[in-house]
Amino acid sequence: MADSTNQQVLDVRAGLSHALGAATTSLRDAQEDREKALARLRRVISAATARREKVAAARDERLREIDERHRSDLAAYAEAAANAANRAAPGAAGDEWTDWQPTPLDMAAELRVGRLLLPHPEPVPALVPLLDFGHVVVRGDRRTGDDVVAGLLLRALGTAPPGRVQLIGWDPEHLGGGLAGFAPLAPAGVLTFTPPGGLGPLLDSLTDHVRRINESVLAGEYTSLRELAAATHRRPEPWRVAVLLGTGELSRHEQAQLQRLLRTGAACGVHLVIRGLPVEAADGIEFITAAEGDHSRLSSAGSLPVRLDPGPPPAVLTATARRIAEAVAAGPAPVALDSLLPPVEWQESSATGLTAPLGDSPQGQPVPVTLADYPPHALIAGPSGTGKTNLIYAWMGALAARYSPVELAFYLLDFKEGVSFARFAPGRRDPSWLPHVRLVGLNVNTDREFGLALLRFLGDELRRRADAAKRHEVTNLAELRADDPDGHWPRIVAVVDEFQVLLAGRDAVATEAVDLLEDLARRGRSQGIHMILASQDVSGIEALWGRPALVAQFSLRIALPRARRVLAETNSAAESLPRYHAVVNADSGAAEANKIVRVPAAGDRDRWNALQHRLWRQRPIELSPPRLFDGDSVPRLTDSPDYHSLVAGDSVQAPVVLLGETIDVAARSARTVLRRAPGRNLAIMGTRMDEATAILATAGRSLTAQFAPEMARFSVVCLDQDARPAAEALKAELPDSGYYDLDNVDWLLEDLAAEASSSWPADRPHFVLIYAADALPMNRNAELRTVLRQGPERRIHVLGWWRGAALLREALGGQASRTDPIGAWVALDVHGSELAPYYPGTGAPAWYPRPWRALHFDRSVHRGAEVIIPYGAS
């Protein structure tokens, strides 16, 4: 029992020991597992910590990379945006006000109003499109909005050529005060103000302008003026910017017109800058919400804040406005004369008319001008300095390059003081001339007789052509040229500058000139004779208005800037023309026929000389230089064709005395023929000694040229000591001549009286030239009268100078019936009323003395007296 108990105890102990061992083993294993688990936990924790640190480091690195890329991209985008803005708004469109200057651009640019506030230091301008793009509506703070409007307008003006942006202001609340800084532009027409109640008419006029542009300019392949300007490199119309600074409700009509302009205006160069009027968002409209600080917004910039620029400095604004106004007043630079010339010269026929471009239209196309049966004649008007002479040059150059001298002939007359047409005649430095020119008359403002002579010449040419047409049974020049191809029938263009001088006054010259001009204007059209009358004075144009039959023939009207009365009364197109522009109207000035022409600079002497020399070298070899008449020049006897035609001979039955140059189209000398007939003496009357002695010298030299030596006698009598040098100089040139003065003139008169009283004529003529014949002793007048009455039939002729018409009459006996011995006379400073005793009929010649002019009358050939110019020293 005990054994079993002990056994049991042992078993229990063994079991306990075994259990304890197992438990210890299990505990040890569990502890080992725990250590392993703890070690693993530590490893996991360590790995997790390391992973977290690695991930955090990677995250931080990635965030740094992202931040760096963000900064880099933002800088690049900001730089690109700034560069794009600088390209889109170069120069005056985007420069800061601190160094701002006008910089006209070839095309419209976007305009800066401020800067975008990006989280980057790179400044990015905030731009808005206006010219050629759309419209701008300004809302928000009024003062800031005024600065925005002023800056927009100044930048728009500064980026366009002067005058190419025109502003129209409507400011009913402040009566234009919102645009006060732009006031210097108003006199030049760049800025106009609309009265408070004029919004409706303003919108109507702008709408009509858009309609006109659409119908006339954009009727072809272009959809906007911007496309047209890009294709042709020329903008045909200026931009019009209407600045509407009002408030309140619009009428239904005004709202409709405003919406129409907002839709269609930009394509036609009409733009609106609006502040205060209700406008709904639409394409092409930029909204600017003005606020102080950094809270402004642009509709095109989304939610980006904008800092608006301050307004332009007043000094910059005023100076720029004045500079633009001065440039507009001066006008745009003209194109070159070469733009009017054809590729090949002298290829046109003038049979049916003359057509040549006068300049370019606003669309850049040549504007042809025609002289033909209709319109037959032209009237040009423009105040001094507006380019009238330049326009005439340009027209002549275009015609001369197209038509050869066989097809076209010019006759040029300038009544103003100047040498505008001198370049067309040969000169001392330049021997060339325009081959088409047949006559050049300069400085004829005191020689109206020369204008009358031109009209008489053209009248004779008209009759010659009309007679030829009648013989060929045709009616006009085209038919005559076709029927008579060998005849020389060029079209004639007579240009008369300051023509009103010829028509001024109520004298015989004006009366005859009007009659001749009316006949030429009415009948010349069919025979190829065309008149171009030009004037710079309103009174010049008005000289025609009292003659409706005459002015009706001048249906081609050309008005230069500020010209008046040349167009129709209601046609004011010339009032706003810039320099080097003209209105060409072929319908007597009716507004519907207006054509605006930009005239090239034809006055440049180098360019003109190049053309003239080229045409001169091509001239027909038989063509003679034109006749040049200069009223300010004293002609010379050695230049007279009539003097050179005198040939010396042993026997001359009717010697010719040359006296001076006639005022005529042809270079012709005034003459008196000394036949063996009563009265064949010459008297010079007047106190101007230089002219009197010059006429006597001309007479003596022309007589000497007709006689072989010792075939004529000459006696020079000088009774005035002041005239002695001239008399002695003439005596030295006369062969077989004697010289007499107060000491020995008695002997000469006794011999002459005896010879004149003889029965037979002398074997050779005897010419007695007397200086100051009125100084002859009274007791010798009877002998002188005998010589004057009887001498010419005995071949004794007296050529005397009396210092007054009354002194001559006294020397002749004091009665009108005793003036017959003087068959020819020349009057200097003697008034017409004093010449009545020597003039046929009961009247007196219309003569008002003027320097170095004389009145010549020869009873044997003249119906009326003629004005001559004494020849001066050779």
Side-chain angles (χ1 to χ4, degrees), residues 140 167 214 257 552 561 570 696 704 742 760:
L167 304 181
N214 276 318
Q257 295 292 66
T570 58
L696 282 175
T704 300
L742 287 172
W760 299 99

Side-chain angles (χ1 to χ4, degrees), residues 441-463:
L442 309 173
N443 299 307
V444 292
N445 51 310
T446 60
D447 291 314
R448 297 166 62 224
E449 296 85 358
F450 192 78
L452 194 59
L454 173 60
L455 296 181
R456 289 170 179 167
F457 169 82
L458 294 177
D460 293 340
E461 178 65 17
L462 175 60
R463 285 187 288 275

Side-chain angles (χ1 to χ4, degrees), residues 422-501:
R423 63 173 61 187
F424 305 123
R428 296 179 180 177
R429 295 182 178 180
D430 185 357
S432 72
W433 70 88
L434 190 63
H436 308 72
V437 175
R438 305 291 190 268
L439 170 73
V440 177
L442 309 173
N443 299 307
V444 292
N445 51 310
T446 60
D447 291 314
R448 297 166 62 224
E449 296 85 358
F450 192 78
L452 194 59
L454 173 60
L455 296 181
R456 289 170 179 167
F457 169 82
L458 294 177
D460 293 340
E461 178 65 17
L462 175 60
R463 285 187 288 275
R464 185 177 76 89
R465 295 185 176 205
D467 292 342
K470 186 176 181 180
R471 289 195 305 271
H472 288 272
E473 298 181 352
V474 296
T475 60
N476 56 44
L477 181 66
E479 295 174 352
L480 177 60
R481 289 182 53 166
D483 204 58
D484 183 18
D486 296 329
H488 184 57
W489 308 109
R491 284 195 179 263
I492 292 175
V493 176
V495 182
V496 184
D497 200 1
E498 301 304 324
F499 68 93
Q500 73 276 4
V501 175

Side-chain angles (χ1 to χ4, degrees), residues 7 9 32 93 107 124 169 348 375 442 444 452 493 675 765 829:
Q7 187 61 39
V9 171
E32 290 177 357
M107 299 294 288
V124 178
E348 303 294 330
L442 309 173
V444 292
L452 194 59
V493 176
R675 301 182 183 88
D829 54 342

Side-chain angles (χ1 to χ4, degrees), residues 226-473:
R226 178 181 176 85
E227 290 185 9
L228 176 60
T232 62
H233 303 289
R234 183 175 179 183
R235 187 174 184 85
E237 290 281 343
W239 289 283
R240 285 167 171 79
V241 180
V243 187
L244 310 181
L245 306 179
T247 58
E249 296 294 329
L250 303 181
S251 67
R252 181 178 298 178
H253 175 73
E254 291 171 344
Q255 185 66 39
Q257 295 292 66
L258 181 63
Q259 293 301 321
R260 187 174 290 113
L261 288 173
L262 290 172
R263 289 195 310 271
T264 63
C268 298
V270 175
H271 305 277
L272 305 179
V273 176
I274 302 173
R275 196 200 63 213
L277 297 179
V279 176
E280 296 181 359
D283 292 340
I285 305 176
E286 180 75 41
F287 288 87
I288 301 177
T289 302
E292 295 183 358
D294 300 339
H295 305 292
S296 299
R297 294 289 188 272
L298 299 182
S299 60
S300 60
S303 60
L304 286 176
V306 177
R307 180 181 298 161
L308 295 174
D309 288 337
V316 173
L317 176 56
T318 302
T320 302
R322 288 176 178 170
R323 190 183 311 170
I324 293 174
E326 292 171 358
V328 171
V335 296
L337 174 63
D338 296 346
S339 65
L340 297 184
L341 305 183
V344 182
E345 294 158 349
W346 291 1
Q347 298 298 306
E348 303 294 330
S349 170
S350 65
T352 58
L354 299 167
T355 300
L358 190 56
D360 292 347
S361 70
Q363 293 76 35
Q365 301 299 318
V367 177
V369 179
T370 297
L371 287 174
D373 286 356
Y374 189 87
H377 312 290
L379 191 60
I380 303 174
S384 177
T386 56
K388 174 168 57 66
T389 301
N390 177 74
L391 183 141
I392 294 174
Y393 287 168
W395 200 357
M396 289 182 59
L399 288 171
R402 283 165 174 77
Y403 300 93
S404 71
V406 177
E407 301 287 336
L408 170 64
F410 284 119
Y411 291 81
L412 310 176
L413 199 59
D414 189 356
F415 275 103
K416 68 176 181 294
E417 295 182 5
V419 291
S420 299
F421 296 147
R423 63 173 61 187
F424 305 123
R428 296 179 180 177
R429 295 182 178 180
D430 185 357
S432 72
W433 70 88
L434 190 63
H436 308 72
V437 175
R438 305 291 190 268
L439 170 73
V440 177
L442 309 173
N443 299 307
V444 292
N445 51 310
T446 60
D447 291 314
R448 297 166 62 224
E449 296 85 358
F450 192 78
L452 194 59
L454 173 60
L455 296 181
R456 289 170 179 167
F457 169 82
L458 294 177
D460 293 340
E461 178 65 17
L462 175 60
R463 285 187 288 275
R464 185 177 76 89
R465 295 185 176 205
D467 292 342
K470 186 176 181 180
R471 289 195 305 271
H472 288 272
E473 298 181 352

Side-chain angles (χ1 to χ4, degrees), residues 571-835:
N571 190 350
S572 60
E575 294 179 3
S576 58
L577 281 179
R579 192 182 179 196
Y580 288 107
H581 283 69
V583 178
V584 176
N585 189 302
D587 193 16
S588 300
E592 297 79 10
N594 284 350
K595 293 182 179 179
I596 306 299
V597 178
R598 183 173 66 158
V599 183
D604 182 85
R605 183 166 289 275
D606 291 337
R607 290 185 178 275
W608 180 267
N609 285 349
L611 171 64
Q612 180 164 302
H613 277 252
R614 191 165 64 248
L615 300 180
W616 180 63
R617 289 191 294 268
Q618 301 176 38
R619 73 190 187 280
I621 191 63
E622 70 277 4
L623 196 64
S624 300
R627 151 85 157 137
L628 174 62
F629 178 87
D630 187 349
D632 284 352
S633 297
V634 177
R636 299 181 303 178
L637 179 63
T638 51
D639 294 334
S640 167
D642 291 331
Y643 177 70
H644 288 289
S645 67
L646 298 177
V647 178
D650 293 338
S651 177
V652 181
Q653 297 302 318
V656 175
V657 179
L658 303 185
L659 304 171
E661 184 176 271
T662 61
I663 299 180
D664 202 354
V665 171
R668 183 173 60 85
S669 297
R671 60 175 60 200
T672 286
V673 180
L674 301 181
R675 301 182 183 88
R676 286 184 54 198
R680 290 293 84 197
N681 302 298
L682 173 71
I684 302 169
M685 296 174 278
T687 62
R688 294 202 291 255
M689 184 181 66
D690 290 344
E691 298 171 31
T693 56
I695 294 173
L696 282 175
T698 297
R701 295 175 65 195
S702 60
L703 288 170
T704 300
Q706 300 171 66
F707 292 93
E710 300 182 357
M711 296 306 298
R713 294 175 56 195
F714 293 91
S715 295
V716 178
V717 181
C718 182
L719 307 179
D720 184 346
Q721 288 299 316
D722 292 337
R724 187 180 186 91
E728 291 178 346
L730 177 60
K731 193 268 178 191
E733 294 189 50
L734 302 178
D736 192 16
S737 62
Y739 186 83
Y740 304 89
D741 54 20
L742 287 172
D743 294 333
N744 58 0
V745 69
D746 296 350
W747 304 339
L748 174 65
L749 289 177
E750 290 176 359
D751 292 344
L752 290 175
E755 190 174 350
S757 301
S758 65
S759 301
W760 299 99
D763 57 346
R764 56 179 179 166
H766 188 176
F767 305 106
V768 183
L769 297 97
I770 307 178
Y771 290 77
D774 53 276
L776 192 71
M778 294 293 293
N779 61 346
R780 294 300 178 185
N781 278 335
E783 294 172 328
L784 178 60
R785 285 195 291 270
T786 299
V787 175
L788 289 171
R789 270 195 322 272
Q790 302 178 18
E793 293 186 273
R794 307 297 186 268
R795 304 186 74 181
I796 302 173
H797 305 277
V798 175
L799 295 85
W801 165 37
W802 281 266
R803 291 171 293 189
L807 295 175
L808 171 60
R809 186 175 179 185
E810 183 179 345
L812 294 175
Q815 298 180 10
S817 60
R818 297 183 178 180
T819 61
D820 288 346
I822 302 300
W825 48 263
V826 176
L828 300 172
D829 54 342
V830 178
H831 287 276
S833 58
E834 302 177 65
L835 299 172

